[in-house]
Amino acid sequence: MGLGFLPLGLAFGALAARSGLDWWWAGLSAALVYGGSFEFLLIGMVTAAAPPASIAVTAFLVNVRHVFYALSFPLHRVRGRLGKAYGTYALSDEAYALTAGERSRSWPGPRILWLQLFMHLYWAGSATAGALLGTLIPDGVTGLDFALTALFTVLALDALRGLRGDLPTPLLALLSALIARVLVPGQLLPVAFALFTAGLLVRAAATRNRPMTGEEPYRA
């Protein structure tokens, strides 16, 4: 996961430096905002002197998914107010993906916090390095923008391995993407997510009263 964060942080830091921001701005944003994709948007909004209200609304729309992550994030294993506060603050897509699998159900609270802390350090450190070395990265370097896609591809494959042969879930995702591609190609991603979520809700409602057996795959 850290290796996936490195090129993303380097790209973010380099972009911040090339946008005219001081080198420390990238590291400070990565450490305090810790918003991933929102931070890339924040660079353009800051350089364009966007109103604080616009920044706040954008931050809410981009990161509102974390509200749903919190419903099943294992924060109950973390002890102490300070630990719970940091666990809530450092909740990210990657932290949720790693702690939502079946193998992580036995992880204690300290391991979850260390996982989040190291990902936080990877992101802030690589963003600072990218800002300091941004001028040394050639413009022709390719592949940095694909790091995020590759990272989530690996996470998706790891999640599929933990489904114990639950084939309908990836098929439902593929079907949702194909329907969105045919009907509304210009809004493929949000429509595909909406169809996939609706399909999961329908499946959950249909199987709610079905008795569970020991061989049945787990569904969150």
Side-chain angles (χ1 to χ4, degrees):
M1 188 66 69
L3 293 177
F5 270 36
L6 287 177
L8 291 176
L10 290 172
F12 170 70
L15 179 61
R18 293 179 179 180
S19 298
L21 300 173
D22 293 329
W23 68 269
W24 52 263
W25 192 94
L28 187 65
S29 172
L32 298 182
V33 178
Y34 193 41
S37 56
F38 169 69
E39 292 183 60
F40 283 90
L41 297 175
L42 186 60
I43 292 176
M45 300 185 78
V46 169
T47 54
S54 298
I55 296 177
V57 171
T58 303
F60 173 78
L61 294 176
V62 173
N63 294 321
V64 70
R65 65 190 185 278
H66 291 174
V67 175
F68 302 97
Y69 290 167
L71 298 177
S72 55
F73 185 71
L75 192 63
H76 60 279
R77 300 183 209 157
V78 179
R79 297 181 179 179
R81 293 184 178 179
L82 184 60
K84 289 182 181 294
Y86 180 75
T88 302
Y89 166 74
L91 177 57
S92 61
D93 300 327
E94 295 78 11
Y96 178 80
L98 290 178
T99 56
E102 185 175 0
R103 292 181 300 176
S104 63
R105 290 177 195 163
S106 61
W107 291 358
R111 179 170 181 175
I112 295 174
L113 287 180
W114 278 112
L115 179 148
Q116 291 182 279
L117 177 61
F118 273 108
M119 286 195 291
H120 197 171
L121 293 176
Y122 269 117
W123 176 248
S126 58
T128 303
L132 291 172
L133 304 175
T135 56
L136 302 179
I137 301 178
D139 294 333
V141 172
T142 59
L144 292 178
D145 54 344
F146 187 72
L148 184 62
T149 304
L151 177 60
F152 279 97
T153 300
V154 173
L155 291 175
L157 292 175
D158 188 59
L160 288 177
R161 285 196 296 267
L163 288 176
R164 295 180 179 175
D166 182 22
L167 191 58
T169 298
L171 287 180
L172 179 61
L174 178 60
L175 181 62
S176 301
L178 291 177
I179 293 175
R181 179 68 177 84
V182 172
L183 297 181
V184 281
Q187 298 292 329
L188 188 151
L189 193 59
V191 174
F193 272 127
L195 291 174
F196 182 58
T197 302
L200 291 176
L201 292 175
V202 170
R203 188 180 71 176
T207 59
R208 180 176 302 170
N209 298 323
R210 190 175 66 183
M212 296 290 290
T213 64
E215 297 180 355
E216 198 166 326
Y218 170 81
R219 292 188 180 94

